Amino acid sequence: MVAHDARGPAPVGETTMVDVRQALPEDGLAGTLVGRAHVPGEGPSVVLLGEDGVFDLSRSFATMTDVINSPGAPAVRAALASATRIGSVEELLENTGTTEVPGSGDMPHFLCPVDLQAVKAAGVTFAESMLERVIEEKAKGDPAAAEGIRRTISGDIGVDLATLVPGSDDAERLKATLQAQGMWSQYLEVGIGPYAEVFTKTQPMASVGLGAEIGLHPESSWNNPEPEVVLVIDSTGKIVGATLGNDVNLRDFEGRSALLLSKAKDNNASSAIGPFIRLFDDTFTLDDVRAMDVALEIYGEDGFELKGGSSMSLISRDVEDLARQTLNANHQYPDALVLFTGTMFAPVTDRDAPGQGFTHHIGDVVHIATPKLGRLINRVTTSDRIAPWTFGASALMKNLAGRGLL
């Protein structure tokens, strides 16, 4: 039974091509790298990458939920005994990100590495990007007004927000001061207050992966990528691994009103995750996640280039705190979840005109990379130009049942 984990035909032409051969971590295949791949004649399958190739683990792990909720890397590696080799890592990378529709065709290729997991995101977790959210709010989504407001707010606060512990006495005193000055914001509330902002980024099965096109709302004129580490969390709340993500953001929509968050964040193909999930083992730990520097590169068809990044060492809330604030006695996720952890990257570099700041152009290629997790590469278009999302959880269940995996 063939399944299409896909969005229909992509536009034919060189602009749809993205070179994903740089996707692997710097230590190659030393870690426990799991993902999902299209297996011709079968459909979407959980896979393990190794020196000897890419192996279909479907007979042991029908979904990524089964992997995440398993005892971990040793259990996954033990499943190799009953796994089927579907090709070399190089072959699958070569087939990924071409003009072929992801999730179909006669060539095996990598897909987004998550399936049934809830896709959650933590916002306003870095002081630098927190200020940019406040600026968006004060500018009402107008990029031309942002620079003057940026200078005013930076001068008025007069405190290094990066040194504040959210919810601390010092944070509460700053809150009172800013409220008295009329400078308080809902973004400061979640940035330095006791409760993190955690929202649903998109639905399970709706994220795209390595080499896929990512979507912007066609009415947006001020937007940007958000390079982030994405935590992989099992159903008990334990962080078991990590991957990379692009929490595509519309600054104009969210700036007009925080109630437009769903329009700003959840559009067709606006959540990119990958290239693979790296499970914790003796080569990769939670402390590696805490120390990660995430690099961002943007390459435009107009010759524009922008480089930036985000350092997890500067995050305002520890990753375990973010996990606890997401999965706890008040909310459970039996199919596990992935959690975008936020970014300190908020581009202010002018692209089109002085004072206008950065915004995407159609055709931009976005690279998000860190040594231990590899490189996530996608090309930008608008969400209405990407074929609608049609392969959801029910389609996956029917496919797995047809293959005798349930």
Side-chain angles (χ1 to χ4, degrees):
M1 176 179 290
V2 178
H4 290 239
D5 193 16
R7 288 167 165 71
V12 176
E14 190 64 27
T15 58
T16 64
M17 303 290 289
V18 175
D19 186 350
V20 301
R21 289 172 292 183
Q22 311 165 65
L24 290 177
E26 286 190 358
D27 59 354
L29 300 166
T32 306
L33 299 180
V34 293
R36 293 170 65 245
H38 168 70
V39 179
E42 296 289 335
S45 301
V46 175
V47 297
L48 174 67
L49 285 70
E51 295 290 349
D52 296 328
V54 180
F55 291 86
D56 182 352
L57 302 181
S58 296
R59 294 297 163 184
S60 300
F61 302 101
T63 68
M64 191 58 70
T65 295
D66 300 316
V67 172
I68 297 171
N69 287 340
S70 77
V76 172
R77 291 194 175 277
L80 277 175
S82 59
T84 303
R85 186 180 186 274
I86 61 174
S88 70
V89 174
E90 292 76 15
E91 287 169 343
L92 267 75
L93 284 174
E94 194 73 36
N95 297 337
T96 302
T98 67
T99 54
E100 180 185 334
V101 179
S104 66
D106 58 2
M107 296 190 298
H109 52 272
F110 293 115
L111 303 170
C112 175
V114 301
D115 48 35
L116 299 177
Q117 293 65 59
V119 183
K120 308 293 285 188
V124 202
T125 53
F126 290 83
E128 184 173 335
S129 59
M130 174 175 63
L131 285 182
E132 286 301 312
R133 299 290 83 76
V134 176
I135 291 161
E136 288 169 12
E137 180 184 41
K138 302 298 182 185
K140 304 299 183 185
D142 178 8
E147 183 54 36
I149 297 170
R150 185 175 293 113
R151 288 193 298 268
T152 299
I153 288 179
S154 297
D156 285 349
I157 287 179
V159 174
D160 182 2
L161 293 176
T163 65
L164 282 180
V165 176
S168 67
D169 290 342
D170 286 342
E172 287 300 309
R173 281 192 289 271
L174 176 60
K175 175 180 178 178
T177 299
L178 292 172
Q179 284 176 321
Q181 295 176 355
M183 293 297 297
W184 189 247
S185 162
Q186 58 200 334
Y187 294 105
L188 291 168
E189 178 67 47
V190 294
I192 65 176
Y195 300 115
E197 178 194 22
V198 180
F199 59 91
T200 297
K201 170 62 181 176
T202 194
Q203 294 301 299
M205 303 288 295
S207 299
V208 299
L210 176 68
E213 291 183 308
I214 50 177
L216 303 170
H217 194 289
E219 295 178 21
S220 174
S221 59
W222 188 24
N223 45 67
N224 63 274
E226 292 193 346
E228 304 188 21
V229 172
V230 179
L231 304 177
V232 179
I233 304 170
D234 73 12
S235 60
T236 71
K238 180 182 178 182
I239 304 170
V240 300
T243 184
L244 291 169
N246 186 347
D247 181 15
V248 181
N249 183 50
L250 312 181
R251 302 189 71 179
D252 43 8
F253 275 66
E254 189 175 356
R256 289 200 295 273
S257 170
L259 298 181
L260 292 174
L261 182 66
S262 62
K263 282 283 187 287
K265 290 289 188 180
D266 188 6
N267 299 294
N268 188 28
S270 66
S271 169
I273 299 174
F276 314 106
I277 291 171
R278 185 164 186 169
L279 298 176
F280 292 151
D281 58 16
D282 57 3
T283 72
F284 182 56
T285 69
L286 189 57
D287 284 338
D288 289 317
V289 172
R290 290 184 172 109
M292 281 181 169
D293 290 326
V294 180
L296 173 77
E297 301 166 10
I298 303 171
Y299 300 97
E301 293 182 338
D302 56 355
F304 177 87
E305 294 186 9
L306 178 66
K307 296 185 179 182
S310 186
S311 177
M312 291 294 288
S313 65
L314 299 177
I315 198 168
S316 300
R317 301 178 193 271
D318 185 69
V319 291
E320 288 191 303
D321 178 41
L322 292 176
R324 283 192 296 268
Q325 293 211 33
T326 306
L327 192 156
N328 48 53
N330 299 316
H331 208 313
Q332 295 79 47
Y333 297 91
D335 290 312
L337 73 140
V338 291
L339 177 63
F340 285 77
T341 55
T343 182
M344 63 183 289
F345 176 76
V348 297
T349 302
D350 290 334
R351 182 172 193 176
D352 296 322
Q356 293 291 312
F358 169 84
T359 194
H360 269 307
H361 285 191
I362 302 303
D364 284 352
V365 175
V366 181
H367 293 233
I368 296 172
T370 193
K372 286 280 188 175
L373 296 178
R375 185 176 294 261
L376 175 63
I377 307 171
N378 301 97
R379 187 180 297 278
V380 174
T381 186
T382 53
S383 56
D384 59 337
R385 297 185 187 183
I386 300 172
W389 169 45
T390 59
F391 191 91
S394 62
L396 178 62
M397 293 301 103
K398 291 174 184 176
N399 171 262
L400 296 176
R403 294 158 62 185
L405 297 176
L406 294 181

